[in-house]
Amino acid sequence: RRGCPLLVVVLLRVSDTNLLNMASASAVNALTVDPSEVTPEELEQSAATSIANGLTPERAAQVLAEDGPNELEQPPRPTLLMLFILQLVGFVIVLLLCAAVASIVVNGYGPKKHDVLSYTTGMAIFIIVLINACIAAWTEHKAGDALEALTKMTQASIYVVRGGKEIKVEVPTIVRGDIVVLGTGDVVPADLRLAEADDVKVSEMALTGEPDDVAKTYKNKPKKEGEPEKLTPENMVFSGCNVTNGKGRGIVVDTGMQTRIGRIAQLIAGEDMGKGKKKTCGCLPDTGANATPLQVNLERLGARIGVLAIIVCVVIFIIGVAMDRRDPENLESPSWLYMILIAVTLAVAAIPEGIPLCVTISLSIGCKDMVTKNVLVRKLAAVETLGSASVICSDKTGTLTEGKMTMVNLWSGGQAYDVEGKGFDPTVGKIKREGSSADSGQDLGVRSSLLAALLCCNTTLSKVKDPESGEEKWEPKGNSSEAPIVVAARKVGFSEDVGKEYRRVLEIPFSSSRKMMLTVTDVAGRNDLCKGGMPLPAGTKHLVVCKGAPNFIADYCTEQLMPDGSTSPMTEAAKEKVLEVVDKYSSKALRVLAIATRTLSDLPFDLDNEDISTDQKFAACRQGMRLCGLVASIDPDRDGVPESVVLARGAGIRVVMITGDYLKTAIAIAHNVNILAKDDNEAIAAVDCARLRPDGGYLSNEKMDILTASVRVFARAKPEDKLEIVKSLQRQGAVTAMTGDGVNDAPALNQANIGVAMGIQGTEVAKGASDMILTDDNFCSIVSAVEKGRTIYAGIQKFVAFIMSVHIAEVMQIFFCIVTGIPVMRTPLQILFLILVTDLPPSIALGMEPGEKTILKERPRPKDEPVVLGWMWLSMVMNGAVLSAVIIGVYIVSLMHYCDGKVFQADIDKLDDFDSKLMDARTVAFISLVWSENIRSYTSRSFDKPVWHDILGNVNMQKAIVLAQICLYVAVLVPVFSDKILQLRGVAVGAFGWLLALAGPFGCLVLCEACKLITAYQVQQYQDGLAKRHEAEDRRLAHATAETSGASFSGKKGARQEGALSSAAPSAGGVTRGGGGDHVVNKVSGHFVGKIDGSFVNDLEGQPASGKANARSWSGGVINLGMCSCFGLLPRMKIHYGFGVSKE
């Protein structure tokens, strides 16, 4: 079996249940059918069960043994130990471990092999590597598991029929063929085919994304011609969905991983549920597929530096052996052994072991800052990834909108009203006449319409206490479409107990055939419907209320209520005016219900007469109705969302809405939240997801990519559609962020580069599949997160450049010492101390650098852009060379002062107590280097702005420098630690040494600031060159496309844009058509995307091809020159462009 279909066995007309069970288990001639397409009786027979009596306990145990428990499988998760091991297989880490082993082995054969301190370098490297691995492994281990969250969605137990009795069983023990008894409030435990349904309604919001409860029936209803495809069959209910109304019974057709939620779980975990995945090093799981852009870039950077380090070590080793450089403490040992130690020193100096730790710390601090912006980060690298997002795919319900149906308009007696407030809080907002600011909640038409509607509702509203936060909030219980009526009624003063004052004598529930609900209420003894309400004729005992589809109810109305309480005939002209109001509201994607009443002195039938059917009662009551009013509701957009979408667009981020709603509703909401502009071509920018799978299967990758490149609204989406859309965008090179709150969003959340779940209304499934959670469920928080992500990434670039310049300087200094024959300036342990102790605090402070005010006006960086850009390499080399020159100068002067005028190693070795004298010279160079790095921490805050620009703007930098200074004085002044371990003597160098060390920071300050002039010039040169190259590329592509398609590029600016572009946003995609075929041009980069046949473009645009010229042009927008892969190392920058596109 796959999915919903189940085995249909040959019907055996036998009375022996055991024989029937055996036959069903061993049937060979089985047919595969959809359970929604057969009757309950046929399904009852094929599943070898009984709707009345259920399965026998023996048969249930047998099926449970065959199928396994009704629960979701979980892929094996890497253990904490496995995650720790995975941290140790990186290229840079392996090189460091090799250097540590080499240091220990070489010292083990040296003259000080019995001295524990001789092994400090190797041990220190091991400790640093292990600390970094522990931090990363623990962070990843704490991340939640989406599949574990899925298992929490089902309730612990449910009633089933077994052996003719209703019994309560644990949900995992439910099997195929069980008869499940459902009631209001139950959670469906498995996929069921309804066999009985009494006004059953189910909330499928978590599964399909639709906020409205879905009415269910046990009947088979053929699809009517022109009727849109339903997301779920009307006679099926699915695992994990809540029953909001009615009661019924259903036959279990699928359990566990075969349910719809199970199939979603498979999408999350992968088709093979974690088995057969690629391995690293032959045995470890491969996590590379989920790597973020920052992780990939750092891995590439580390690999390049590692290869460079190996080359440098080999070169230095060869030079040292050739020049016969020997260990000054053991001149008898061979030079190659000493050069191995020097190579280890070089490896430590060249490999940026501090970068991974700095990145982890920087991202961790960023995560804490995100909490203040209502963003909870589950994976550290997600902070950076969101900053690079170029497309945000957002669910509509609960994300862009409130997820709460809210009344926004009311109409009665020719008067329109606006209803204020959002959500379910009745204390917020008033009802006002259209165009007026006065409270009109006491108008007769308002009170009459709302109370009548309330008398035809079963939904209640009350305050409930959130078990987690302890806060009280308003929540409706019942049908979601009735909640807006209950909330609006409370706004005008009707109490919670108003329904108890009116005794209901008859209720005819809503049905898809009647399109309305009808109630009869006892109003005997009342002169008015309510205080301030419409008058009731003398002798009125009963009030009939109908609530439902306006066009149906209007046909039954003979009069309508007027504002003064009188009535007027419902003529055809009056009916047309009412329907015009309905059309006006419907065009705004509002859900409109009509409220009509009828007064009766006596009921037209006997309530106790069981021979009168429901339909007969309905027909008798619905005649001669009075239209009281119309109520219009919508799932409103969240406060601030339209502005946030505009901000995202300004940041170069394309916002795409993917929803299960109908296309018209989706388009209206998209316009409300600025995803679609007024002049957008809706036929291109918004599509029904059925277009993704015209023949049942999905379009080819090429056609799918062309379609998704220009569409910003996808309606009637299934979970699989969302997944395919995200995959398509990723194939086009987009860094995608997917937001959502339902089960239906989980696969796409998991597939996206970064998944963003809603914290309040989000299901545990969505949270488990996400990378970050919005604790306030506000789409607006994403923009803040994007800004923070970009700021953190910019800070990472700064401290990577800072650390790399230190490593470059260390390599230069050691290389200079070996080649010239002067003593090596510092030991490997001193280098580690410099990089990981004195340089680490300023590096972290650079990662916390405040962002530029214009950071949200930049376009997202390309996915494959390296962390270190081309001009940054030049800056790093220059700064490294400056640092090396200054410190070498200080070191040479120190050697001459403390070593009796000697500079070269061979001469110094002949001095008495040369070890102490050499230690003093190294100490001065060490102090000068630390001070120089502290000064460079300030100059590195900007690549091209002077050091005095907002010099105290980063408070964390001041704290970092103080900490670095404390570490310095501990290193050079604390006995034992300084002289025995680090081999530094701060006291012995005297005043001369400390004064000489000051030359380093002063020299670095002047020369590094001078280098900024060169860097700024280089950046400008790159920008000018890129602008010219890009303009030339645009002209070349435009000319090539024009020649191929017959289009002309006039260079004129037009008003109408094709594809997804709007006047405010440089989004993707457009179509040009000519005699040579149809071509799609990416409007962000200007690149030719592909050629498609005419029929597909016709479908894409929703209109036939025309032989007449239909000129459309587009202009405006921003090109991010860094997006060009051939200039990936160059800086991000913007130019404005514009050219016309003619369509033939």
Side-chain angles (χ1 to χ4, degrees):
R1 298 184 303 110
R2 292 184 62 86
C4 287
L6 61 94
L7 297 177
V8 179
V9 299
V10 178
L11 172 63
L12 301 178
R13 297 185 178 274
V14 290
S15 58
D16 189 336
T17 306
N18 292 330
L19 181 59
L20 186 60
N21 289 343
M22 291 173 58
S24 66
S26 59
V28 218
N29 299 324
L31 298 175
T32 302
V33 298
D34 186 336
S36 64
E37 296 179 354
V38 298
T39 65
E41 293 74 21
E42 293 171 334
L43 194 59
E44 175 187 33
Q45 295 170 351
S46 63
T49 187
S50 166
I51 297 175
N53 299 319
L55 295 174
T56 63
E58 296 79 14
R59 174 58 182 158
Q62 180 185 351
V63 178
L64 182 63
E66 293 173 357
D67 291 354
N70 176 35
E71 57 189 16
L72 301 176
E73 299 174 10
Q74 298 186 30
R77 289 182 58 187
T79 63
L80 182 60
L81 176 62
M82 181 61 68
L83 292 173
F84 175 76
I85 295 174
L86 283 170
Q87 311 305 318
L88 302 177
V89 297
F91 186 64
V92 171
I93 300 300
V94 170
L95 284 180
L96 281 174
L97 292 175
C98 291
V101 170
S103 175
I104 293 173
V105 170
V106 171
N107 280 289
Y109 286 95
K112 296 183 179 180
K113 60 183 178 182
H114 299 297
D115 185 0
V116 177
L117 293 179
S118 65
Y119 300 100
T120 51
T121 297
M123 290 187 295
I125 295 175
F126 275 124
I127 291 171
I128 294 300
V129 168
L130 293 179
I131 290 175
N132 184 70
C134 287
I135 293 174
W138 180 253
T139 302
E140 190 168 347
H141 181 70
K142 293 297 289 181
D145 187 282
L147 291 176
E148 288 179 359
L150 275 166
T151 62
K152 298 177 183 177
M153 286 199 65
T154 54
Q155 59 194 30
S157 57
I158 193 76
Y159 281 98
V160 300
V161 178
R162 284 187 184 170
K165 299 179 181 178
E166 279 192 21
I167 61 173
K168 199 171 189 178
V169 300
E170 298 296 319
V171 168
T173 64
I174 290 176
V175 299
R176 285 180 299 112
D178 260 332
I179 306 300
V180 175
V181 180
L182 297 174
T184 302
D186 284 338
V187 177
V188 181
D191 287 359
L192 311 179
R193 166 58 163 92
L194 289 175
E196 299 175 6
D198 183 6
D199 196 24
V200 172
K201 292 184 179 180
V202 178
S203 172
E204 295 181 341
M205 177 177 168
L207 189 66
T208 65
E210 291 200 52
D212 304 317
D213 297 335
V214 181
K216 296 292 182 179
T217 179
Y218 67 91
K219 299 178 181 178
N220 289 30
K221 293 185 177 180
K223 181 181 176 182
K224 298 179 181 178
E225 185 176 351
E227 184 181 17
E229 179 187 1
K230 296 183 181 297
L231 293 179
T232 58
E234 286 183 302
N235 52 21
M236 297 278 295
V237 291
F238 297 96
S239 177
C241 297
N242 293 307
V243 180
T244 59
N245 193 64
K247 59 184 180 179
R249 292 190 177 191
I251 304 172
V252 177
V253 296
D254 278 312
T255 61
M257 295 302 293
Q258 298 299 323
T259 62
R260 285 208 175 184
I261 282 186
R263 280 151 44 196
I264 291 175
Q266 292 180 32
L267 291 173
I268 294 175
E271 187 176 349
D272 54 7
M273 294 303 299
K275 301 175 182 177
K277 291 183 178 180
K278 294 187 294 181
K279 304 291 181 180
T280 300
C281 300
C283 58
L284 301 178
D286 178 21
T287 58
N290 296 322
T292 68
L294 177 63
Q295 291 171 318
V296 173
N297 284 330
L298 287 176
E299 187 67 25
R300 290 176 183 171
L301 178 64
R304 291 172 183 170
I305 294 172
V307 172
L308 183 62
I310 293 174
I311 295 172
V312 171
C313 289
V314 170
V315 171
I316 291 294
F317 179 82
I318 294 173
I319 293 174
V321 172
M323 300 181 70
D324 197 27
R325 303 299 187 194
R326 295 176 182 270
D327 187 353
E329 298 179 1
N330 185 16
L331 296 175
E332 299 300 323
S333 63
S335 62
W336 63 268
L337 198 60
Y338 174 63
M339 290 310 302
I340 288 179
L341 289 175
I342 297 299
V344 170
T345 304
L346 266 175
V348 173
I351 297 172
E353 57 276 331
I355 288 180
L357 188 58
C358 271
V359 169
T360 302
I361 294 173
S362 179
L363 292 176
S364 299
I365 294 173
C367 290
K368 292 180 181 179
D369 292 342
M370 286 285 197
V371 174
T372 63
K373 299 180 181 295
N374 300 311
V375 177
L376 178 63
V377 178
R378 297 178 64 247
K379 299 177 184 177
L380 289 180
V383 180
E384 169 272 333
T385 313
L386 188 59
S388 68
S390 54
V391 178
I392 296 178
C393 298
S394 177
D395 183 44
K396 177 188 73 69
T397 306
T399 308
L400 296 169
T401 63
E402 293 278 354
K404 302 172 183 177
M405 291 298 293
T406 304
M407 188 183 299
V408 292
N409 291 107
L410 186 148
W411 181 92
S412 178
Q415 178 63 54
Y417 297 86
D418 295 325
V419 183
E420 297 177 336
K422 291 184 179 181
F424 302 133
D425 189 347
T427 64
V428 177
K430 299 177 181 179
I431 298 180
K432 302 177 180 179
R433 292 189 181 187
E434 194 174 60
S436 171
S437 59
D439 186 355
S440 305
Q442 302 306 310
D443 284 9
L444 182 143
V446 173
R447 293 183 63 79
S448 301
S449 299
L450 288 180
L451 180 57
L454 194 61
L455 296 178
C456 199
C457 289
N458 292 317
T459 299
T460 60
L461 180 70
S462 60
K463 270 189 175 182
V464 297
K465 194 171 185 178
D466 191 320
E468 294 183 2
S469 65
E471 296 180 1
E472 288 189 336
K473 58 182 180 180
W474 292 92
E475 275 192 7
K477 185 176 181 181
N479 194 315
S480 62
S481 63
E482 294 178 347
I485 295 173
V486 178
V487 174
R490 295 287 288 273
K491 287 183 179 181
V492 298
F494 290 114
S495 69
E496 180 181 355
D497 300 324
V498 67
K500 298 178 182 178
E501 302 173 13
Y502 297 81
R503 184 176 65 88
R504 184 177 295 179
V505 297
L506 176 66
E507 175 185 336
I508 300 177
F510 175 89
S511 73
S512 56
S513 58
R514 289 189 288 265
K515 300 294 184 185
M516 66 187 73
M517 175 182 177
L518 182 145
T519 60
V520 178
T521 304
D522 185 354
V523 293
R526 295 179 181 272
N527 296 322
D528 302 301
L529 178 60
C530 61
K531 183 179 179 180
M534 66 181 183
L536 300 177
T540 300
K541 295 181 179 179
H542 298 95
L543 180 71
V544 179
V545 181
C546 271
K547 168 174 64 71
N551 53 334
F552 281 78
I553 288 182
D555 289 338
Y556 301 139
C557 290
T558 58
E559 60 183 21
Q560 62 175 326
L561 179 68
M562 302 308 291
D564 60 355
S566 62
T567 61
S568 66
M570 179 66 82
T571 62
E572 282 299 319
K575 181 179 176 181
E576 279 301 315
K577 288 184 179 180
V578 171
L579 294 180
E580 285 178 7
V581 174
V582 173
D583 290 340
K584 174 186 173 183
Y585 289 154
S586 298
S587 66
K588 300 177 183 178
L590 301 182
R591 172 158 296 167
V592 186
L593 294 175
I595 312 298
T597 60
R598 179 188 178 190
T599 55
L600 297 173
S601 55
D602 292 296
L603 290 176
F605 50 81
D606 184 359
L607 280 174
D608 299 324
N609 188 346
E610 297 181 356
D611 294 332
I612 301 177
S613 67
T614 299
D615 288 337
Q616 289 174 324
K617 294 177 182 177
F618 177 71
C621 290
R622 73 187 182 192
Q623 305 299 324
M625 303 292 291
R626 174 192 299 172
L627 180 66
C628 286
L630 304 171
V631 293
S633 306
I634 195 172
D635 182 9
D637 52 270
R638 288 184 174 275
D639 291 332
V641 165
E643 294 79 9
S644 295
V645 171
V646 172
L647 281 176
R649 191 178 288 157
I653 300 172
R654 174 181 163 205
V655 181
V656 176
M657 185 173 77
I658 309 176
T659 177
D661 276 331
Y662 290 103
L663 184 58
K664 267 193 171 183
T665 304
I667 289 174
I669 295 293
H671 279 295
N672 290 345
V673 298
N674 292 326
I675 289 177
L676 291 179
K678 291 182 180 180
D679 58 348
D680 276 335
N681 188 339
E682 294 175 1
I684 296 176
V687 299
D688 190 303
C689 281
R691 300 258 288 279
L692 305 179
R693 33 185 166 77
D695 301 317
Y698 285 103
L699 297 167
S700 64
N701 287 351
E702 182 183 359
K703 290 184 176 181
M704 179 73 79
D705 294 350
I706 291 172
L707 183 61
T708 58
S710 59
V711 174
R712 279 177 285 155
V713 177
F714 293 92
R716 305 302 289 165
K718 296 181 179 180
E720 295 85 351
D721 297 335
K722 297 186 177 186
L723 191 60
E724 292 299 321
I725 291 167
V726 171
K727 286 180 178 179
S728 174
L729 292 169
Q730 289 175 329
R731 282 195 301 269
Q732 299 170 52
V735 176
T736 59
M738 171 70 188
T739 69
D741 60 354
V743 177
N744 61 317
D745 300 320
L749 286 172
N750 191 69
Q751 172 66 33
N753 298 97
I754 180 166
V756 184
M758 302 297 112
I760 299 175
Q761 297 191 30
T763 61
E764 290 301 313
V765 184
K767 295 176 187 177
S770 68
D771 299 294
M772 63 171 51
I773 299 169
L774 303 182
T775 56
D776 61 348
D777 280 18
N778 198 334
F779 181 86
C780 308
S781 299
I782 298 177
V783 178
S784 298
V786 168
E787 182 178 13
K788 186 63 179 178
R790 292 186 177 185
T791 300
I792 290 174
Y793 189 83
I796 289 174
Q797 285 185 312
K798 290 174 184 176
F799 78 64
V800 166
F802 174 75
I803 291 176
M804 285 303 303
S805 63
V806 173
H807 285 278
I808 291 172
E810 291 291 346
V811 171
M812 288 180 175
Q813 292 165 37
I814 294 173
F815 182 83
F816 178 83
C817 292
I818 292 297
V819 172
T820 59
I822 66 175
V824 177
M825 195 176 300
R826 59 189 62 91
T827 66
L829 192 57
Q830 291 173 0
I831 295 174
L832 279 176
F833 188 86
L834 278 168
I835 293 171
L836 299 177
V837 180
T838 58
D839 286 348
L840 185 61
S843 299
I844 296 173
L846 282 172
M848 301 168 66
E849 190 73 21
E852 299 288 341
K853 294 181 180 179
T854 59
I855 198 164
L856 272 183
K857 296 182 180 179
E858 299 178 8
R859 288 193 56 81
R861 65 182 179 279
K863 183 178 180 180
D864 56 352
E865 179 187 88
V867 178
V868 182
L869 304 176
W871 55 269
M872 290 172 60
W873 279 108
L874 179 62
S875 175
M876 289 186 305
V877 171
M878 288 192 301
N879 279 272
V882 165
L883 184 61
S884 296
V886 171
I887 300 304
I888 288 173
V890 171
Y891 182 51
I892 291 175
V893 174
S894 300
L895 285 174
M896 295 176 65
H897 177 77
Y898 294 105
C899 297
D900 303 334
K902 307 298 182 185
V903 175
F904 297 103
Q905 181 74 61
D907 297 330
I908 294 173
D909 289 343
K910 299 174 183 179
L911 299 174
D912 295 332
D913 195 20
F914 72 89
D915 286 341
S916 298
K917 295 178 178 180
L918 185 56
M919 194 182 300
D920 291 342
R922 286 174 172 170
T923 300
V924 173
F926 185 89
I927 295 170
S928 184
L929 181 62
V930 173
W931 285 349
S932 298
E933 287 304 300
N934 291 166
I935 290 296
R936 286 191 62 251
S937 300
Y938 283 97
T939 63
S940 299
R941 293 183 59 217
S942 174
F943 288 107
D944 53 1
K945 292 179 182 177
V947 67
W948 55 83
H949 176 75
D950 195 22
I951 190 169
L952 299 179
N954 185 357
V955 178
N956 296 299
M957 183 61 74
Q958 281 71 266
K959 298 177 183 178
I961 296 302
V962 171
L963 183 58
Q965 287 298 300
I966 292 173
C967 293
L968 167 64
Y969 302 132
V970 168
V972 299
L973 297 176
V974 175
V976 180
F977 179 69
S978 62
D979 54 350
K980 299 298 183 184
I981 296 177
L982 290 179
Q983 299 179 11
L984 298 170
R985 302 199 308 171
V987 177
V989 299
F992 176 82
W994 288 91
L995 291 174
L996 177 61
L998 286 173
F1002 281 113
C1004 279
L1005 177 61
V1006 175
L1007 295 176
C1008 287
E1009 286 300 293
C1011 288
K1012 283 187 180 180
L1013 299 176
I1014 301 175
T1015 302
Y1017 174 76
Q1018 291 292 328
V1019 170
Q1020 188 60 49
Q1021 288 293 104
Y1022 275 124
Q1023 291 176 342
D1024 293 343
L1026 284 174
K1028 293 177 181 178
R1029 294 175 191 175
H1030 199 87
E1031 290 171 358
E1033 179 71 6
D1034 278 343
R1035 288 194 296 270
R1036 186 189 66 80
L1037 289 170
H1039 181 70
T1041 307
E1043 285 186 345
T1044 309
S1045 63
S1048 63
F1049 293 80
S1050 63
K1052 299 178 181 178
K1053 294 185 177 182
R1056 180 78 180 244
Q1057 298 181 1
E1058 286 220 347
L1061 275 175
S1062 71
S1063 58
S1067 294
V1071 180
T1072 61
R1073 172 174 296 148
D1078 301 307
H1079 296 74
V1080 173
V1081 178
N1082 185 310
K1083 291 184 179 177
V1084 172
S1085 63
H1087 291 130
F1088 174 73
V1089 177
K1091 179 177 179 179
I1092 50 179
D1093 57 58
S1095 61
F1096 180 74
V1097 175
N1098 293 343
D1099 180 58
L1100 184 69
E1101 297 185 345
Q1103 58 187 17
S1106 173
K1108 299 179 180 180
N1110 179 17
R1112 294 181 182 180
S1113 60
W1114 59 272
S1115 65
V1118 177
I1119 293 179
N1120 176 13
L1121 298 185
M1123 292 186 69
C1124 302
S1125 58
C1126 55
F1127 305 124
L1129 292 176
L1130 303 181
R1132 294 188 300 275
M1133 57 172 291
K1134 308 173 186 177
I1135 62 167
H1136 291 274
Y1137 67 92
F1139 57 91
V1141 178
S1142 294
K1143 176 180 172 185
E1144 206 170 270

